[in-house]
Amino acid sequence: MSSMECPVCGKTFESSLIQNHVNKCIFLNLEDGEEKSPKRTVNQRGDSESAPKKMKLDTLNSPPTPKVIPSNSSASSSSLKKPDIKSPLAEILRPVSFEEYVGQEHVLGEDKMLRLLMNQNEIPSLILWGPPGCGKTSLAHVINKTCIASGQNFRFVKLSATMAGINDVKEVAKVAKNEWTNFKRKTILFMDEIHRFNKLQQDIFLPHVENGTITLIGATTENPSFSLNSALLSRCRVIVLEKLSTNVLMTLLRKGINRLGIEMITNPSHQTIGRSQIEESTLEWLAEMSDGDARIALNSLQIVHQSKPASFLSLEDVKNGVKKSHLLYDKKGDEHYTIISALHKSIRASDDNASLYWLARMLEGGEDPMYVARRLVRAASEDIGLADSNALILAVSALHGCEKIGMPECNVLLAQVAVYLARAPKSREIDDAYSNAKKSIVSCKGALPPVPLALRNRVSKLTRDLNWGKGYNMKHKDESGLEYMPEGMEGINFFSEPGNDSDR
């Protein structure tokens, strides 16, 4: 790896680290108000004292070099060198302009707000939310390249919350303040995996985003409503990116085979010995099995090509390289809650096919079968209840069965229960009645009414002297002559009142 010498202090660093070091060096020199000691400038380098000052000014006034997303062979139109075979294909093909960016037309179309702002070099603080491989980092890369191409005075800094900490953010903000104060150079901070900062740590961004010291672009696969604090969300616009369609992935895969030098053919009989070739139908299979993840699709293609260079890449070769489809399922994230919600609502709607599909989606994605079993027990009582009492018995039995035998054997137990519940008659009588009873308690004004004396437990001489339990009998309510509801609530019927129709 090549190395470069710092024009300020004269120390040698790797080229990938030099920009970050120079920014620190410049800031520290300006903060001191004078050059560092001759030991660092004159004695080590052998130059006059005025030389470092001149070089430092040249460095400050020169166009900034992006720290985070370095130009590579695919990102620079002037570079025609063959890409490093070790570089992931997804990284090599990163777009450098909005024209090259594929997909996400709902936010990046010609007439969309974000695209219009970018065309005017107005970059707001953004939170990019979407599944893996949908183009979050690529969009940040395009924003960086667009700022440089426009001639605007921008610094672009990339950090990842998987490696960076609070001190790194403080350092970026410190340099950004100096850059703006002295040179009117704006700083864009791209924070990948921003949800890995907990909500207290996220407060570090607030003052700097608020006063405009930095423009924050955060990328996350987690729902910002849950993973980011409300103060940060109020200062940023959330951009929702979606899974890429098969057509978009096919476009990217065509770029990939061109980059790798693979020829696409329509008929396997047209194979040429000694040449890399692939059928279009094979690419389509790969696009369909990548679950909207461009990184999975491109890097899988690269792996298969590397395993069989200068050869025909058959569908069987690709299937061997990609053993199973990429299932997006996070047992603690949004997919966990959205899919169990889909399962429950499919059961409620008596759709046995949909119920079975969502159940399989969860189990094949690695969900804990005990969690699914517990939710099915709830559905058996909430949505079926007294309409079919066997539903609850079956669901509880499946819960115990899952506990005893585990996966994969218990999958059919859960499937049986899910289909049974979907086909069973539905009644929300119990759930609605309980909701009405609960509402009467939480909405009660003043103290809750006392238990009627006849219903109280007389277990001591004192309670007997206070007439607790006096007059109680074991007859039916219509014959006992007693009132079993508290005073003032006589005659209330929770079963006849309108049910609670809130969405669950």
Side-chain angles (χ1 to χ4, degrees):
M1 183 176 291
S2 61
S3 59
M4 298 179 65
E5 191 175 73
C6 174
V8 180
C9 68
K11 293 184 178 180
T12 302
F13 294 87
E14 293 179 357
S15 56
S16 61
L17 303 176
I18 188 66
Q19 180 65 33
N20 188 32
H21 168 76
V22 169
N23 287 335
K24 296 179 186 177
C25 231
I26 291 171
F27 180 79
L28 293 174
N29 275 274
L30 287 173
E31 201 172 44
D32 293 340
E34 60 183 6
E35 288 294 310
K36 294 295 179 183
S37 65
K39 181 180 180 181
R40 295 181 63 187
T41 57
V42 179
N43 293 345
Q44 287 188 5
R45 301 187 60 202
D47 296 333
S48 64
E49 190 179 33
S50 60
K53 292 182 179 180
K54 183 176 185 303
M55 292 182 72
K56 183 171 69 174
L57 292 175
D58 290 343
T59 303
L60 290 172
N61 291 316
S62 62
T65 303
K67 170 192 172 186
V68 195
I69 307 179
S71 297
N72 53 38
S73 54
S74 67
S76 175
S77 59
S78 61
S79 175
L80 300 177
K81 294 188 297 182
K82 186 177 180 180
D84 184 358
I85 194 65
K86 296 181 181 179
S87 299
L89 185 59
E91 185 67 29
I92 294 172
L93 291 180
R94 284 210 188 277
V96 296
S97 66
F98 284 109
E99 288 70 27
E100 293 182 13
Y101 192 92
V102 183
Q104 311 301 345
E105 291 294 326
H106 64 291
V107 294
L108 293 174
E110 291 289 344
D111 59 340
K112 300 302 181 181
M113 179 276 300
L114 183 59
R115 183 70 173 272
L116 295 175
L117 286 174
M118 297 302 170
N119 290 339
Q120 299 171 20
N121 295 315
E122 294 292 336
I123 305 173
S125 289
L126 304 170
I127 299 297
L128 306 178
W129 172 33
C134 70
K136 300 184 293 296
T137 303
S138 292
L139 179 54
H141 188 262
V142 168
I143 292 173
N144 174 34
K145 294 297 183 181
T146 301
C147 292
I148 294 175
S150 68
Q152 299 294 316
N153 208 10
F154 283 100
R155 275 180 74 247
F156 191 88
V157 180
K158 177 182 177 181
L159 295 176
S160 174
T162 59
M163 296 184 292
I166 296 297
N167 291 334
D168 298 290
V169 178
K170 288 181 178 179
E171 187 174 313
V172 170
K174 190 176 182 181
V175 175
K177 183 177 180 181
N178 174 72
E179 291 279 328
W180 175 251
T181 302
N182 293 284
F183 310 105
K184 301 304 178 186
R185 183 181 297 165
K186 297 180 181 178
T187 297
I188 301 173
L189 172 60
F190 175 61
M191 178 59 72
D192 201 9
E193 306 290 343
I194 191 171
H195 61 273
R196 292 186 179 271
F197 276 11
N198 63 44
K199 293 188 177 182
L200 289 177
Q201 291 173 321
Q202 291 165 19
D203 286 341
I204 189 64
F205 299 107
L206 297 181
H208 310 301
V209 173
E210 180 75 28
N211 60 27
T213 301
I214 61 174
T215 297
L216 175 66
I217 300 179
T220 177
T221 58
E222 302 290 337
N223 189 333
S225 300
F226 304 131
S227 60
L228 304 183
N229 69 42
S230 56
L232 183 59
L233 282 178
S234 70
R235 291 162 173 81
C236 302
R237 181 176 180 85
V238 177
I239 303 297
V240 181
L241 303 183
E242 300 172 350
K243 287 184 180 181
L244 300 179
S245 67
T246 300
N247 289 336
V248 170
L249 289 179
M250 280 296 293
T251 300
L252 294 173
L253 285 171
R254 288 189 182 98
K255 291 184 177 183
I257 63 174
N258 289 337
R259 192 70 179 183
L260 295 172
I262 304 173
E263 177 187 358
M264 185 164 67
I265 59 176
T266 56
N267 192 330
S269 63
H270 296 163
Q271 298 177 30
T272 303
I273 298 176
R275 296 183 62 179
S276 292
Q277 295 177 317
I278 193 170
E279 284 188 272
E280 184 174 11
S281 60
T282 301
L283 279 187
E284 290 176 353
W285 182 89
L286 181 56
E288 292 168 355
M289 297 301 286
S290 298
D291 196 33
D293 190 325
R295 188 179 294 108
I296 291 289
L298 292 171
N299 292 345
S300 297
L301 174 66
Q302 184 180 27
I303 290 172
V304 176
H305 172 63
Q306 289 174 343
S307 67
K308 292 187 64 177
S311 302
F312 175 72
L313 305 179
S314 66
L315 178 58
E316 194 63 30
D317 294 329
V318 176
K319 286 183 176 180
N320 289 333
V322 187
K323 289 296 183 183
K324 60 182 294 185
S325 63
H326 174 61
L327 293 176
L328 174 62
Y329 189 81
D330 185 348
K331 292 189 285 185
K332 295 183 179 180
D334 290 327
E335 291 294 297
H336 171 79
Y337 297 104
T338 56
I339 294 183
I340 193 63
S341 175
L343 171 60
H344 196 153
K345 290 172 181 175
S346 298
I347 289 173
R348 183 178 296 156
S350 297
D351 191 328
D352 50 1
N353 279 290
S355 301
L356 201 56
Y357 171 79
W358 295 119
L359 172 69
R361 180 102 165 243
M362 296 188 79
L363 295 180
E364 295 306 311
E367 182 57 80
D368 179 6
M370 294 299 294
Y371 170 75
V372 180
R374 289 192 296 269
R375 288 302 297 261
L376 291 178
V377 171
R378 167 72 188 195
S381 185
E382 178 181 338
D383 293 294
I384 298 166
L386 300 179
D388 184 351
S389 298
N390 287 329
L392 182 57
I393 296 173
L394 186 65
V396 172
S397 297
L399 175 66
H400 291 311
C402 291
E403 185 178 15
K404 296 296 183 182
I405 65 176
M407 282 290 285
E409 288 81 1
C410 73
N411 56 3
V412 69
L413 277 68
L414 296 174
Q416 179 181 348
V417 174
V419 172
Y420 185 95
L421 298 184
R423 294 177 178 178
K426 303 300 187 293
S427 171
R428 294 183 56 83
E429 180 185 21
I430 298 299
D431 187 61
D432 290 342
Y434 180 80
S435 296
N436 291 329
K438 175 183 175 181
K439 183 178 179 181
S440 72
I441 295 171
V442 299
S443 62
C444 177
K445 296 181 179 179
L448 290 171
V451 177
L453 287 176
L455 304 184
R456 299 188 187 187
N457 189 19
R458 51 188 303 171
V459 295
S460 65
K461 183 177 183 304
L462 175 61
T463 56
R464 287 193 293 271
D465 292 344
L466 293 174
N467 292 326
W468 285 22
K470 184 177 182 180
Y472 172 73
N473 60 70
M474 301 176 64
K475 298 179 180 179
H476 187 275
K477 68 173 184 176
D478 295 336
E479 302 174 359
S480 66
L482 301 175
E483 179 58 53
Y484 294 87
M485 289 290 283
E487 184 178 355
M489 298 185 66
E490 301 88 344
I492 288 181
N493 187 347
F494 296 126
F495 295 91
S496 62
E497 293 183 15
N500 184 356
D501 295 328
S502 62
D503 187 22
R504 289 170 175 77

